[in-house]
Amino acid sequence: MARNYFIAGNWKMHKTRGEAASLAKELVAALKDGKHKYLVAPSFTALETVAEIVKGSNILLGAQNCAPEEQGAHTGEVSVLQLKDVGVQTIILGHSERRHIYKEDDALINIKVRLALKHGFDVILCVGELLEEREAGKAEAVCKRQTVEGLKDVAAADISRVTIAYEPVWAIGTGKTATPEDADAIHAYIRKVIGELYGAGAAEKIIIQYGGSVKPDNAAALMAKENIDGALVGGAALKADTFVPIAKF
Ligand code: PEP
């Protein structure tokens, strides 16, 4: 079954509103004839600005995180209700920087995944192993645990709103990319795990993005692989010059 490619840009903690607006305008113009599914995820402070620009275009609006509660006394957090209010459609959860810098564990990520789905968002659930885990032969086990725990109690009816992003931590922002073969092997494994959880149909349909130093010169080779259905792009998503060629690989 053919799956649509899904190319997403994670702008992380970059860009003022003005800078975000400029990039969003460039992308709307450059990708209007693009054939794939697109998303940009600006910082919370730029969401409203970018929402106005991508409205009516083929670029979806993503957030990089959400709080595990709907509202309340949670200083410094941003809730799903607030994200919905500014027009966010998709929430990236479990990014390795959230897991490893901010110590988010699988249980917390799972609460966020279920809350986001309950409120009608699509979710990009990020999974991926550390270098020492890969070297110890644990890459599959780590990805399985993060997938199974992250999706715990997610209903079969909701799995079509979930994208998985396989992002080996050692490849994020380092310039090191998994080879297309190594990435494809883990993608195939994650697809098998989804099959065990939700059946063959869901496994066939689920979009599994690759993330980790995707650049214009390596995107096509990665996307050519059977089980790689798109990319979650960090550094190269910060400029139209580098994101557009990836988005139109
Ligand atoms: C990311 O942050 O999701 C990412 C893949 O970053 P980079 O492309 O910079 O490695």
Side-chain angles (χ1 to χ4, degrees):
M1 199 205 89
R3 293 179 289 268
N4 285 336
Y5 287 104
F6 181 13
I7 313 290
N10 171 11
W11 296 355
K12 306 194 183 185
M13 197 173 69
H14 294 285
K15 299 197 183 290
T16 60
R17 286 175 301 162
E19 291 163 350
S22 304
L23 178 56
K25 283 178 194 160
E26 283 184 88
L27 295 180
V28 166
L31 297 181
K32 65 176 187 303
D33 58 348
K35 294 191 294 286
H36 311 310
K37 178 175 172 181
Y38 303 119
L39 173 141
V40 293
S43 298
F44 293 132
T45 53
L47 281 171
E48 191 171 6
T49 303
V50 173
E52 286 301 315
I53 296 165
V54 299
K55 196 191 287 173
S57 79
N58 58 347
I59 302 177
L60 297 165
L61 185 66
Q64 300 171 18
N65 189 20
C66 69
E69 300 283 340
E70 278 168 15
Q71 59 190 331
H74 291 274
T75 302
E77 294 287 330
V78 175
S79 89
V80 284
L81 304 178
Q82 294 164 326
L83 295 177
K84 188 170 283 185
D85 186 45
V86 293
V88 167
Q89 291 136 316
T90 301
I91 308 180
I92 299 171
L93 293 168
H95 190 278
S96 71
E97 288 148 19
R98 301 299 320 167
R99 291 180 189 269
H100 298 293
I101 304 174
Y102 296 100
K103 308 298 175 210
E104 293 195 7
D105 62 13
D106 289 317
L108 177 66
I109 293 162
N110 174 249
I111 291 170
K112 295 182 180 194
V113 167
R114 285 187 285 119
L115 188 65
L117 290 170
K118 176 182 157 197
H119 284 274
F121 293 94
D122 289 353
V123 164
I124 298 176
L125 172 64
C126 304
V127 303
E129 79 284 359
L130 297 163
L131 183 58
E132 54 265 38
E133 292 167 335
R134 170 157 283 257
E135 287 173 343
K138 293 183 183 156
E140 287 188 352
V142 169
C143 292
K144 178 171 188 171
R145 189 201 75 227
Q146 292 177 349
T147 302
V148 171
E149 297 295 316
L151 295 177
K152 193 162 177 268
D153 296 329
V154 168
D158 291 334
I159 196 67
S160 61
R161 287 190 286 127
V162 176
T163 293
I164 305 285
Y166 168 57
E167 300 205 304
V169 181
W170 47 271
I172 296 180
T174 59
K176 290 183 195 150
T177 319
T179 64
E181 291 70 29
D182 285 349
D184 191 56
I186 297 284
H187 282 232
Y189 180 73
I190 294 169
R191 200 175 297 289
K192 184 170 145 254
V193 170
I194 295 294
E196 287 161 8
L197 294 173
Y198 294 100
E204 190 59 28
K205 284 196 203 110
I206 196 159
I207 300 298
I208 307 180
Q209 298 172 320
Y210 170 78
S213 299
V214 176
K215 305 282 181 240
D217 62 1
N218 61 22
L222 287 158
M223 299 307 127
K225 289 291 171 193
E226 168 81 25
N227 288 288
I228 302 183
D229 310 315
L232 180 54
V233 186
L238 296 175
K239 288 189 181 145
D241 282 357
T242 43
F243 189 67
V244 171
I246 296 171
K248 291 184 154 179
F249 74 90

